[in-house]
Amino acid sequence: LLVQAAALHERTGRRAQAGALLDSAAMAHLKLGSPDSAERHIRRALALGRAASDRRLEGWSLSLLGNVRLMQGAPDSALVYF
């Protein structure tokens, strides 16, 4: 549902809100142990945040990417996102 809501927001020009919803979906995937699925949503959220010039969303998305890298067992590559 979060991804569907994000698509609706994106279609109506609410990029930052769409990105926030995608980050929420990504957090659910992380909690379920699916970092690859989470990364897909986070990367889209990051692009939307940048397109909307929303630095807070961009920062949050980058932090989530760091968490993805940690879950994937790559702490060294996680550092660039924090």
Side-chain angles (χ1 to χ4, degrees):
L1 291 174
L2 289 169
V3 175
Q4 291 172 340
L8 288 172
H9 279 287
E10 190 173 358
R11 280 198 297 267
T12 58
R14 296 179 179 132
R15 292 181 288 201
Q17 292 88 344
L21 288 165
L22 288 170
D23 275 345
S24 293
M27 288 189 298
H29 282 281
L30 285 174
K31 288 180 189 248
L32 292 170
S34 301
D36 295 335
S37 296
E39 184 174 2
R40 181 171 40 94
H41 295 308
I42 297 165
R43 290 203 178 276
R44 182 68 191 135
L46 180 59
L48 289 167
R50 287 178 172 162
S53 299
D54 188 322
R55 302 286 294 176
R56 187 180 67 139
L57 176 58
E58 183 179 354
W60 181 250
S61 297
L62 289 170
S63 177
L64 286 174
L65 283 173
N67 287 320
V68 166
R69 291 293 178 257
L70 288 173
M71 284 188 74
Q72 292 170 331
D76 291 339
S77 66
L79 287 175
V80 299
Y81 296 109
F82 292 115

